[in-house]
Every structure is written in structure tokens, then in C-alpha cells.
Amino acid sequence: MPPHLDLLLLWLLVVSAPVLASAATPSTAFVPADNYLVICGTSGSATDTAGRTFVGDGRLPASALAAPQSVEANASLSSSNGDEQALYQSARIFTAPASYTFAIKKPGRHFVRLHFFPFRYQSYDLAAAAAFKVFVQGAVFVDGSYTPKNGTVVVKEFSVNVTGGSLVIAFTPTGKLAFVNAIEVVSLPDDLIADTAAMAGSARGLYTGLSARALETVHRINMGAPKITPANDTLWRTWLPDQSFQLDSSLALAEHKEVLPSAIKYTPVATPWTAPVGVYATATKQSTSGGTSTINVQFNVTWRFGAVAAGSDYLLRFHFCDIVSKAATGLAFNVYVGAWLVLDNYEYSRDTINTLAVPVYKDFVLGAKDVKGGNITVSIGSSTVGVSNVSPDGFLNGLEIMRVLGSAGAGAEPSKRSSKVKTWIIAGSAVGGAAVAMALAFIAFRMLCRKRGKPEKKASNSTLSPFSASALGSRSRSSGKKSNGNTIVLGQNGLGAGYRIPLAVLQEATSGFGEAMVIGEGGFGKVYKGTLPDETPVAVKRGSRKTLQAMQEFRTEIEMLSRMRHRHLVSLIGYCDARDEMILVYEYMAMGTLRSHLYGADDLPPLTWEQRLEACIGAARGLHYLHTSSATAVIHRDVKSSNILLDETLMAKVADFGLSKAGPELDKTHVSTKVKGSFGYLDPEYFRRQMLTEKSDVYSFGVVLLEVLCARAVIDPTLPREMVNLAEWAMQWLKKGEVDRIVDQRIAGTIRPQSLKKLADTAEKCLAEYGVERPTMGDVLWCLEFALQLQVASPDDSVIDGMPLAPVATPQVQRIQSIASVATDTAMTANLGDLDGMSMSGVFSKMVKSEEVR
Ligand SMILES: *[C@@H]1O[C@H](CO)[C@@H](O)[C@H](O)[C@H]1NC(C)=O
Ligand SMILES: *[C@@H]1O[C@H](CO)[C@@H](O)[C@H](O)[C@H]1NC(C)=O
Ligand SMILES: *[C@@H]1O[C@H](CO)[C@@H](O)[C@H](O)[C@H]1NC(C)=O
Ligand SMILES: *[C@@H]1O[C@H](CO)[C@@H](O)[C@H](O)[C@H]1NC(C)=O
Ligand SMILES: *[C@@H]1O[C@H](CO)[C@@H](O)[C@H](O)[C@H]1NC(C)=O
Ligand SMILES: *[C@@H]1O[C@H](CO)[C@@H](O)[C@H](O)[C@H]1NC(C)=O
């Protein structure tokens, strides 16, 4: 199956999510590319409980079975109790090494299930005489210590990544004989096992290389019962109930919960193949009644799993699906492996964007040296944060414990585990299944540490949100290693994994990206209106171009918006990079673009002069923040009226940071770069000399001011030639001082001349030929504030030539005054956090000074 088909299948799964909740729906069935179901020692066939037909190995082609000395054994079970025993009527007995070879159509992970049921056949007592090893692809899967129990069925399940065209299973007797009753070799979905997992136990960091490893299923548990048989599993797995593994079950610390299977909302993060509805629709949770009737008592629910051989690493997969809560938020609990806290104050709702009943899973690897005494214990416990008000909220839906073959002490290769990594936890940073994310978190974190020169001790609630171009490319889905150079470090302001939104959530939010929801379309792709599960209205921008530039812009936007937070910058709510998607989710700006309120959209009434000035002031604040909030200015590079958005109160915010760039370092005076931006807004200096500075944004903003003034398109090819380019045409009139000739006639009569002149002057300065002649964004901001004040102040106010003087009457004037009084010692270059008060004061003091000089 080519990857695209794979993708398509998943898409279908998502689209039909509610339908497929009943796992039996045929369209959701996994169709394995390789599907060998063999019963051994016979030429007959048999049907198992799941309705699958097993064919006798006597019918395999001669090349498939190399068994020079083998015996076909017949159990002749009189008490054959139906299907359950159908696979165990016969066995093939080997008295010398032998092997099965299966041709593999599609490389990738496969289940290898070996069925053993010892019985007596003629002189062979299988239970007594059998001692053997099983090798798969040359590696030991079953070692000589395995002794089958009389009359008991044992199914040993492995998953192995087959890279070549065939799979060889070899049996070598170490005692008198070897035998096997049935064999399954079945393809698995490629993304079932990720390459990486967070380390649990005494080692910290990221465990890598899982995708190349074979795994042996040691325990597979359906928390909250019942047993799930192959017939009820999407991949013919068996899940056992947890009851018998629970410690202190007499204390009634735990209770079972169950919902209808139809309540489960699968997403591409955890699909029906990850675990069937039977697993997610039941859970074991901390009891709120039972032994501990009072809330605020901290306790754990613990399970102990035996039969854990020493000398191997173990992969533990926790399945979570909140079917126990009434509200989606406010729930947190701890998860332990042994004595180690692996999920600290785990908030399920952060992984599911506050949606209940969404399956999620988390992988951890427990290193061999932490596996002692033949047991692994796992606990869920009350959160230790906010001790005064903890409720026993912990729950668990499923748990898989898999031995990592060939790991650590087990022999073959040394573990690739990154043991050098210092004490920090990335656990919990990745939504389950986001293997790439984990790998990248690791890389990103390392880069961050290197950059900062000192590693963080602990980042338990990870502030990293890794992202990489390669995560978008279909080829490198499972490889985090290659993407080193592309990794962006996010999250100084805490853009955590919670910002990654599952695709299914966005599909639901936008009615499946329906055309009716489209509210805009640009070079990047379409923009949809959507509503998140918690009712937050959002704008969902979905990338359609899969070009390198598009990917870069996507990354830049996430990086910029997660670093830059300001009330005049459109805020990023989340993003989705699953399945090659490039989706950005923003706060919804109800009134759309500034442009649409100026011209082009005939049905919208023209904005008043005050509204226009307020919008410009808001946008200028946003840009000023970009230019000044960090040591290296950020240059937007695509300032235009369609990138300035208005919310329902007409407050303006700057959007679209795809082209933005960190500006000149202190020792440089400009960034030289390929010219990008929008025609009609381009700074001529930048255009000619590829010199990018903040003043390029100032130029573009000047063009926006002209749009506001004239309410016409920046480039209008339908007009006479001298009028086509707004900047050229308007500047001619402005230089002549005839702003009245170009002002929007619809509102011209409402504008006070001084205010109009102030804006026209500001626009003219912004459009100065050379960057050095243009004002800073801070200067522009002040001029606009002043233009607004000139418009709204009552005629009696003493406003003399550009400077407001006491007495002051309007709120605006008062604001400027009060700011001025605290402004004098505020440096412009200060690292401004929020800017509304601070920046204005800085701006004001600077303006006062420069005005004084003149
Ligand atoms: C096993 O023995 C039973 C009766 O003893 C017979 O009916 C059946 O065909 C035999 N099966 C094989 C595979 O020899
Ligand atoms: C296994 O059970 C069979 C019959 O149930 C019996 O004949 C045989 O002796 C048993 N073998 C062992 C090792 O207990
Ligand atoms: C199988 O291993 C190969 C090579 O190690 C790797 O490229 C591939 O992604 C793996 N496949 C799966 C499904 O893990
Ligand atoms: C398991 O499957 C059978 C039929 O295949 C169905 O009757 C039964 O309800 C299923 N059980 C669960 C727990 O889904
Ligand atoms: C829960 O188990 C962990 C790990 O064994 C332990 O550190 C913690 O103290 C336990 N909490 C309670 C309340 O018993
Ligand atoms: C492992 O579990 C068994 C019971 O299943 C118990 O007897 C044994 O003491 C446990 N080992 C350790 C180290 O706890």
C-alpha cells in the first residue's frame, strides 16, 4: 500500500469518525498486505474464533518449509470445544533445526504470532520433551528456557520490522524436540510503533531506534475489563482485564467505568488500530467512593505485572481516553512506572483540546537496569499539585508492556539509548503517536541547550513545541534525525504540545473544511471559519501549496506568533502538522480585513475617520512591538491592508507572519535577502538594494495609510496610467499639499483639516525614498495618536501646531498627558513586554525630545 493510500484511508477514518466508532464497521477493517495464517502439521484448514481461515502448512509451497526431520502430529482431541481449539488439533514436531520462510510483499512492521499447545502424540509427549529456541530473521525470539505447560495454549506475539522480501522463522531444538501449532505473519499499520519514546526510570531523555527493533508483547491489558479477543480487535490482538493485576484490590481504591463504544471519538493520533473501542470505552479510575470516601486523600492505584525478564528494555504504552469526567478541564493526575513519575500532573484535556472521549496514548521505555524482581509496577495517583484541592481523578484505559528484543542486556546490539542526556524530562510533551515530535523535541531541546550554553535541569511540562520542515514531508515521517538543520525552537513563551491540534478536531470545527466555511483565500491556501469544541471561534488557515517556501512560511509563522504575543498581533491558537497538513489556527477576527472596510467590498459601509485612525493606531502598535520587543527587531515584510484584521470592536491586529524575519543584529545595519513581499507595498530601497530593515515595514505601512486616506487599491490597472500605483499617484498630490484631491470623498466632509493634514504628513514621511529619512514605527504611532486627537478634541482645546497643551479635555489628551509625566526616563530600546502603556510613554518621550530639537 503506497503511503498516499495509507493517508487516504486515515482520512476516511477521520471523516467517518462517528460511524466507525463501532469497530465492526467493515470499511474500517485493516487489510494487511501480508497475511499468512498457517496451522502446522496438517494439510487441512481451520477457522479461528475471529473467522479467519488458517491453512495447513502441508499446503505451503515446498520452498516455504525447510524441515528435514519433522513429524505431523495429530492431537485427536476428543474434547475439542469448538473454535477455541480449532487451531490446536495438530502440531509440527521438529527433531532437527527447521524453518519457515514467508515471502513479504510489503516491508514494515509485522506481527509474528506463534501458537503453542503441547499434547501427547504417539511416543512424543510435547510438554515433557520440548525445549527449543525460535529465531526470527536470525534473532532469538524464544530462548531455550521456554517450557510449554501441558494442556495450556500459549500464544507468543512479536512485532518485527521486516526490511527485506522475506521473513524466516527458524526452530532449533535444544532438548529432544521443537514444535509449533500455528503461525501468523500479518502486516501492521506502519505508524503503530513510533521510533522514539521518552525514557522512564532512572535514565532520562529520549529512547530512539524503536522502529528497527522487534518487540515481544508481554502484557496487553484492557483496563476496566472485559477481555477482548482477536474477534473484537482491529488487529486480532488479545487484551486481558486488569483486575487480577491490581494490588490491594480489596481496598476498593479503583472502580471500573464504561461507556457505549459509540462515544469514542478517534483522531489520527490514536486510531481504531491503536486500540479498539473495547479498550477506550472502558477504564479503571481512582475510586471516589469506596475505601476513601473523602476527597483530598491522596492515594495510588497500582498494578503489578510479572513475567518480566531481566536484561531487556521494556516499552510501555499507556492508553488514555477520558470517559470518566463530566467536564473536559480541571482534571490532572500522576502516572508512575515503578517509583518513577512519568507523567507529572498530567492534564489529558491539553492533549485533546478539551474534548472528552478522544483516545490518546503515551509511550515510555523502562531501561533494563530498572527492571528488577521480574515485575513492573504501574500506578496512577492523585496530582500532587495544588494539594489543598486534589480529587482522585486518575484513570487508565489500557496498557501494553512490550519487551524490546535485542536491547540492553539481551544480547544482540547495544542499546542506542541516549544515556548521555542529562536529567530532563520530555515525557508528556508529545501527544502519543507523535514520534516525530518526540524526536524533534529532543533535537530542539539539545539545540536550545547548546545555544544557551547550559542545559535546563527539568522541563516537566515541556515548553517546547518542536516543528520541522521534515515533519511535513511525507518521506521523513518516522525520522527525526535528518531534520536537525530545520528544527525550530519554539516556546519561550510556552507554546506547548497543547498547541498541536488533532486534525479530526479541526475537521469537526470546520464542517470537514466545507466550502461554506471559507472566509478567505490567499496564496497560502484557504481560510475557514471554525468553532473549537469549547466554542472558541477560530480562523483556520489551511496550506495548499506543499512547496518548500510554503513550509518555511508555515514554520516562521508558528515560530513568530508563539514568541510574539501582543494584543495587536493576531494570536495563534494552535496548528496541525499531522498527515502532511499545514494548518494554522488563529483567533477569529469577526470583521475581517481592514482592506475590505476601505474598498472592494461594496456591501460594507465606509469606516469613519476615527475608526480608520484607531485601526491604524492598533496596527502601528503591533508593528512597533515587533520592531522593538526583542534585541533583534522582527521585520514583518508583508505589511498591507489585507494583513490587518479587525475584531468585532474594530480593534486592529496585524496578521500573517509567514515572511517575517529577525532583523539586523546590533553589529549589522541590515539583513540582505531575496526580495519578498507584496507588489505595491514594496520599499523601493529594499527592492533596489535587497536591504531589509524595519524601515521597509514603515514604508509599507505608509502605503496602508494612503489606502486609508484614499480608499482605493494599491495597484489598480483599470485606472489611467499615472494613477495605477497608489503610492506614486498619491505622493504627487501630497507633495503639492493637495491632500483634498485624493481623500476618500465619502467621508471627506467629516474629517477635521488638521487631522487630515497630520495623517497625510505621516504617510508622506513613511514613503520617503531612503529608510533613514523615514520615521520609526514609534514615531508613526505617536503621529497617529495625535491625528486622532486632532479629530476628536473639541474645537476649544488649545492644540497648537502639533503639540497638545493643557488644559486637556478628551480622554485621549489626558492619556497622552499622563503618559508624558512618567515618560521621561523610559528608554525606547527597553524590552517592552506589553506595550500599551509602556511603549506609548517611550514613544512620547522620544517624540517630545525630537520635537524640541526642531
Ligand atoms: C486426526 O485424527 C482424527 C481422528 O483421530 C482424524 O479424523 C483427522 O483427520 C486427523 N487429522 C490429521 C491432520 O491427520
Ligand atoms: C500431558 O497430558 C497428557 C494427557 O492429558 C498426559 O498423557 C501427559 O502425560 C501429560 N504430560 C505431562 C508432562 O504432564
Ligand atoms: C523499518 O526499519 C526501517 C529501517 O530501519 C525504517 O526505515 C522503517 O521506517 C521501519 N518501518 C517501520 C514501520 O517502523
Ligand atoms: C465481540 O464481537 C462479537 C461478534 O463478533 C460481538 O457479539 C460482541 O458484542 C463483541 N464484544 C465486544 C466487547 O465488543
Ligand atoms: C504513589 O506511588 C509513587 C510511586 O511509587 C510514590 O512515589 C507516591 O508517594 C505514591 N503516592 C501515594 C499518595 O501513595
Ligand atoms: C514480583 O511479584 C511477585 C508476585 O507476583 C512477588 O512475589 C515478588 O516479590 C515481586 N518481586 C518484587 C521485587 O517485588
Side-chain angles (χ1 to χ4, degrees):
M1 196 160 50
H4 295 98
L5 209 59
D6 202 27
L7 205 82
L8 195 74
L9 247 165
L10 267 155
W11 264 96
L12 289 174
L13 279 173
V14 172
V15 174
S16 58
V19 183
L20 84 261
S22 61
T25 312
S27 65
T28 72
F30 177 67
V31 182
D34 295 301
N35 194 18
Y36 291 100
L37 306 172
V38 176
I39 47 170
C40 305
T42 177
S43 296
S45 64
T47 304
D48 76 350
T49 49
R52 295 182 298 167
T53 301
F54 283 64
V55 174
D57 64 356
R59 294 203 224 161
L60 291 176
S63 59
L65 175 57
Q69 294 169 42
S70 83
V71 178
E72 293 187 353
N74 190 337
S76 50
L77 291 173
S78 48
S79 63
S80 79
N81 52 356
D83 290 347
E84 198 74 51
Q85 296 287 350
L87 301 184
Y88 310 117
Q89 300 292 332
S90 66
R92 185 167 295 274
I93 300 172
F94 309 103
T95 53
S99 65
Y100 290 89
T101 304
F102 298 95
I104 296 301
K105 287 195 215 113
K106 183 177 174 267
R109 202 163 272 279
H110 289 65
F111 269 141
V112 173
R113 292 195 186 100
L114 305 174
H115 297 248
F116 299 105
F117 178 75
F119 52 75
R120 174 179 279 277
Y121 172 73
Q122 296 173 357
S123 61
Y124 302 96
D125 185 344
L126 300 187
F132 56 91
K133 288 185 178 179
V134 182
F135 298 86
V136 177
Q137 303 299 68
V140 179
F141 272 38
V142 178
D143 67 23
S145 66
Y146 170 64
T147 50
K149 269 212 205 85
N150 211 5
T152 307
V153 171
V154 171
V155 181
K156 287 198 169 279
E157 182 187 276
F158 305 88
S159 76
V160 54
N161 180 355
V162 184
T163 48
S166 65
L167 175 81
V168 179
I169 304 175
F171 295 83
T172 302
T174 53
K176 288 205 187 88
L177 57 82
F179 77 98
V180 62
N181 302 77
I183 300 174
E184 298 174 47
V185 175
V186 182
S187 298
L188 284 181
D190 279 336
D191 49 8
L192 192 69
I193 303 292
D195 191 59
T196 57
M199 290 295 293
S202 57
R204 291 295 184 201
L206 196 71
Y207 190 97
T208 60
L210 276 173
S211 63
R213 299 259 181 236
L215 303 171
E216 176 181 4
T217 308
V218 184
H219 294 283
R220 183 178 283 130
I221 307 297
N222 178 23
M223 298 288 171
K227 177 180 177 179
I228 293 172
T229 63
N232 293 87
D233 184 80
T234 44
L235 300 172
W236 306 281
R237 291 163 295 201
T238 301
W239 304 72
L240 297 178
D242 64 309
Q243 185 70 43
S244 60
F245 299 94
Q246 240 179 66
L247 296 187
D248 304 322
S249 52
S250 59
L251 297 180
L253 298 174
E255 59 193 35
H256 284 174
K257 280 280 179 218
E258 188 176 349
V259 293
L260 287 177
S262 55
I264 305 305
K265 300 183 202 115
Y266 281 108
T267 70
V269 170
T271 68
W273 305 333
T274 311
V277 279
V279 170
Y280 289 121
T282 62
T284 294
K285 72 176 285 286
Q286 286 184 289
S287 176
T288 41
S289 49
T292 55
S293 48
T294 37
I295 235 163
N296 286 350
V297 172
Q298 296 202 15
F299 64 95
N300 290 334
V301 176
T302 302
W303 295 265
R304 180 167 59 204
F305 300 95
V308 175
S312 290
D313 301 333
Y314 283 83
L315 171 62
L316 282 80
R317 174 168 290 187
F318 291 82
H319 296 269
F320 299 101
C321 182
D322 189 349
I323 56 162
V324 305
S325 305
K326 293 208 172 55
T329 51
L331 171 149
F333 57 96
N334 288 345
V335 178
Y336 305 88
V337 173
W340 291 285
L341 182 58
V342 296
L343 288 174
D344 185 3
N345 196 34
Y346 173 53
E347 288 175 69
Y348 163 87
S349 59
R350 289 174 63 109
D351 281 346
T352 64
I353 325 290
N354 300 342
T355 314
L356 293 174
V358 170
V360 166
Y361 67 90
K362 305 260 179 202
D363 288 344
F364 298 96
V365 170
L366 187 63
K369 71 174 181 326
D370 295 326
V371 177
K372 295 197 185 94
N375 304 318
I376 290 177
T377 60
V378 164
S379 310
I380 50 174
S382 319
S383 165
T384 40
V385 179
V387 177
S388 60
N389 187 28
V390 288
S391 55
D393 279 335
F395 66 87
L396 190 56
N397 300 67
L399 178 70
E400 292 173 90
I401 299 180
M402 293 169 260
R403 187 166 71 97
V404 183
L405 271 65
S407 64
E413 303 160 60
S415 167
K416 281 192 206 157
R417 175 155 38 97
S418 33
S419 51
K420 272 176 252 145
V421 179
K422 289 257 167 52
T423 325
W424 39 268
I425 309 168
I426 350 180
S429 75
V431 174
V436 175
M438 293 293 285
L440 292 172
F442 172 63
I443 293 162
F445 199 89
R446 273 230 301 237
M447 287 172 68
L448 187 70
C449 291
R450 208 174 296 150
K451 218 169 174 179
R452 288 183 175 170
K454 54 179 178 212
E456 300 252 299
K457 277 280 146 40
K458 195 173 176 199
S460 63
N461 214 337
S462 174
T463 54
L464 294 169
S465 187
F467 197 79
S468 138
S470 82
L472 299 166
S474 53
R475 271 179 302 144
S476 47
R477 210 175 296 157
S478 59
S479 162
K481 289 170 218 145
K482 284 180 227 148
S483 49
N484 219 331
N486 293 325
T487 306
I488 283 179
V489 179
L490 295 181
Q492 273 91 337
N493 284 4
L495 182 71
Y499 283 73
R500 186 180 253 127
I501 301 180
L503 188 53
V505 170
L506 296 181
Q507 291 224 300
E508 200 169 317
T510 58
S511 306
F513 298 108
E515 283 301 312
M517 307 300 276
V518 174
I519 51 172
E521 191 163 359
F524 184 87
K526 284 183 178 162
V527 183
Y528 302 82
K529 172 158 196 222
T531 310
L532 290 183
D534 66 354
E535 308 285 296
T536 311
V538 288
V540 178
K541 190 159 94 172
R542 186 176 187 211
S544 55
R545 289 180 298 138
K546 298 281 162 19
T547 61
L548 194 62
Q549 187 187 340
M551 287 178 205
Q552 274 163 358
E553 288 176 17
F554 182 56
R555 274 162 38 212
T556 307
E557 180 113 9
I558 293 173
E559 186 196 25
M560 287 300 169
L561 283 180
S562 53
R563 263 200 301 145
M564 304 281 168
R565 298 229 156 229
H566 187 264
R567 54 193 292 249
H568 291 290
L569 301 183
V570 168
S571 48
L572 185 70
I573 289 175
Y575 65 93
C576 173
D577 59 335
R579 304 277 144 207
D580 286 359
E581 288 285 356
M582 291 189 280
I583 303 176
L584 295 163
V585 182
Y586 305 92
E587 63 177 312
Y588 179 64
M589 298 292 285
M591 300 300 276
T593 67
L594 173 61
R595 183 182 200 267
S596 67
H597 291 271
L598 294 173
Y599 55 90
D602 297 334
D603 47 342
L604 293 173
L607 295 179
T608 66
W609 187 242
E610 290 100 285
Q611 286 170 332
R612 293 180 197 204
L613 288 175
E614 291 277 10
C616 291
I617 287 167
R621 286 225 174 99
L623 290 172
H624 175 61
Y625 169 76
L626 279 185
H627 290 177
T628 57
S629 69
S630 56
T632 51
V634 170
I635 304 167
H636 185 287
R637 286 220 288 177
D638 203 11
V639 175
K640 52 183 175 181
S641 56
S642 54
N643 280 342
I644 296 170
L645 304 180
L646 304 174
D647 72 4
E648 66 282 358
T649 66
L650 290 175
M651 183 164 97
K653 302 191 182 199
V654 179
D656 211 334
F657 293 77
L659 292 182
S660 58
K661 250 197 154 49
E665 305 273 342
L666 293 175
D667 53 345
K668 286 199 241 142
T669 54
H670 69 275
V671 181
S672 94
T673 162
K674 279 215 200 81
V675 173
K676 283 179 192 142
S678 295
F679 200 52
Y681 293 92
L682 273 183
D683 169 10
E685 190 174 41
Y686 169 44
F687 192 73
R688 278 194 308 267
R689 299 169 55 199
Q690 277 83 60
M691 262 177 55
L692 183 66
T693 69
E694 300 97 297
K695 296 295 181 69
S696 306
D697 282 351
V698 173
Y699 182 94
S700 306
F701 190 74
V703 180
V704 172
L705 294 180
L706 292 180
E707 285 179 275
V708 164
L709 185 67
C710 311
R712 57 150 281 192
V714 164
I715 301 287
D716 187 346
T718 64
L719 292 170
R721 216 177 61 178
E722 71 279 8
M723 292 180 69
V724 168
N725 186 322
L726 169 64
E728 281 173 18
W729 170 72
M731 281 297 275
Q732 286 173 6
W733 293 107
L734 291 182
K735 284 191 177 131
K736 289 186 218 160
E738 295 189 48
V739 61
D740 296 337
R741 301 282 293 267
I742 58 172
V743 68
D744 183 359
Q745 289 308 311
R746 294 173 298 176
I747 60 161
T750 67
I751 309 173
R752 291 208 184 156
Q754 283 171 315
S755 179
L756 181 62
K757 182 166 188 306
K758 188 78 200 163
L759 185 98
D761 288 350
T762 309
E764 194 182 337
K765 281 183 197 149
C766 289
L767 294 179
E769 182 81 17
Y770 299 103
V772 290
E773 297 167 359
R774 296 174 205 147
T776 66
M777 242 14 251
D779 301 335
V780 173
L781 180 52
W782 191 83
C783 292
L784 292 173
E785 285 272 10
F786 193 59
L788 177 63
Q789 202 229 313
L790 290 169
Q791 175 72 11
V792 298
S794 80
D796 312 332
D797 292 340
S798 313
V799 175
I800 303 169
D801 193 28
M803 287 298 293
L805 298 173
V808 286
T810 70
Q812 279 84 1
V813 174
Q814 274 163 358
R815 188 153 108 229
I816 291 177
Q817 279 275 306
S818 65
I819 288 165
S821 64
V822 298
T824 35
D825 53 8
T826 312
M828 270 300 287
T829 50
N831 246 0
L832 305 168
D834 172 74
L835 303 207
D836 269 283
M838 284 294 290
S839 67
M840 263 315 293
S841 58
V843 171
F844 190 79
S845 73
K846 179 165 179 157
M847 278 309 288
V848 169
K849 282 179 200 137
S850 56
E851 293 275 345
E852 279 166 356
V853 172
R854 263 171 225 166

